[in-house]
Amino acid sequence: MLNLDENCLGNWLGSYDAFKDDFLHYVYFLSKGCGYYPHVDFPKLKIAHAGWCAECQLWESNYVMKDSNGLSHLKIMSILLVSLASVEWVQELEEYDPTGGHDEGEFAGSSDAMRETRLDINAGRGTFFAFQFVVAVINSFEISRDDKCQKFEFRLTSDLEHDIMVWLLSERRDPMAMFLILKSLYIRDSVS
């Protein structure tokens, strides 16, 4: 579903089209498996991407020590999540028949889980999709790390996911706060 490599974040920051293609491939895969087709407002998605790039540049210039390796994947993805949550880039949701013979994803959970996911998609729309994308990307990076003592364990609970979504859908969202929330979910001791 997501073909990530060590250059994907730089590629996405450097090219709206590269980001759009990979991001929407994930969104359509997820949404169609749940029986929805999101109609994307491409100019607004482009605005969110531009905001993400500008905020990353601001952080690089003002908040990162000059001798560091730059922004971490957690910081970059936190900024992306807030940028996507700040713009209504999903115009509407259309019902989609996931059993229609198309080469799309299939929902892996129970019918109750699918019903709950559909409710989450309806409530969160673009913010829900953005959150799922960001978590999938971060998880991919974290699974691949060899500089941590503890094995990667994804600790997000349904309750915390709900609380994060409520916060992201409010006007109080902020990239630094999102980074701290995600950092607390993914923190592990480093190898000495």
Side-chain angles (χ1 to χ4, degrees), residues 16 19-20 23-28 30-31 37-49 80-93 124-133:
Y16 165 71
F19 167 74
K20 174 188 60 108
F23 176 62
L24 291 181
H25 177 76
Y26 180 85
V27 167
Y28 290 137
L30 177 65
S31 63
Y37 180 84
H39 290 270
V40 175
D41 184 327
F42 289 99
K44 286 187 177 177
L45 185 60
K46 194 168 192 172
I47 289 168
H49 180 268
L80 173 62
L81 181 52
V82 170
S83 293
L84 289 168
S86 300
V87 177
E88 290 188 31
W89 57 272
V90 173
Q91 291 175 324
E92 65 177 288
L93 292 171
R125 301 202 176 214
T127 300
F128 175 84
F129 294 128
F131 183 76
Q132 299 306 315
F133 177 78

Side-chain angles (χ1 to χ4, degrees), residues 56-102:
C56 284
Q57 192 66 21
L58 176 72
W59 280 43
E60 282 275 0
S61 301
N62 297 313
Y63 306 142
V64 176
M65 294 171 51
K66 299 299 179 207
D67 59 347
S68 77
N69 292 330
L71 295 179
S72 67
H73 63 280
L74 276 175
K75 290 180 181 105
I76 291 169
M77 296 310 288
S78 298
I79 296 167
L80 173 62
L81 181 52
V82 170
S83 293
L84 289 168
S86 300
V87 177
E88 290 188 31
W89 57 272
V90 173
Q91 291 175 324
E92 65 177 288
L93 292 171
E94 177 183 320
E95 289 291 327
Y96 177 84
D97 180 7
T99 63
H102 305 286

